[in-house]
Amino acid sequence: MANFNTGDIVKLKSGGPLMTVLVFETEWLGAGKGGYQEFAYCQWFDSNGKLQESKFITSALEKAQ
């Protein structure tokens, strides 16, 4: 389970823009791919000010300071 909630500001552990968590989803990836995994749908503004949205596996995210 993620250590953050809907509305929290997060970032990828590898870097990148700050993003807002919109909603969580649990998805079955298959027994050989870790079984059930939790994903977070996030929104952020890119360097041109355009709103972006994508889903990320929660283990790749951390709460922003």
Side-chain angles (χ1 to χ4, degrees):
M1 192 66 145
N3 61 347
F4 40 86
N5 300 299
T6 299
D8 283 348
I9 306 300
V10 298
K11 64 179 182 174
L12 286 169
K13 290 179 179 177
S14 60
L18 297 180
M19 303 180 288
T20 303
V21 177
L22 300 177
V23 68
F24 292 97
E25 173 184 273
T26 301
E27 187 175 317
W28 174 251
L29 298 182
K33 296 183 179 182
Y36 286 102
Q37 295 292 321
E38 186 177 43
F39 290 86
Y41 283 87
C42 300
Q43 283 185 335
W44 69 96
F45 290 98
D46 67 18
S47 59
N48 296 316
K50 184 177 179 186
L51 184 63
Q52 302 290 329
E53 181 177 318
S54 191
K55 95 176 175 180
F56 301 90
I57 194 164
T58 56
S59 61
L61 300 171
E62 63 187 5
K63 196 168 183 178
Q65 300 298 325

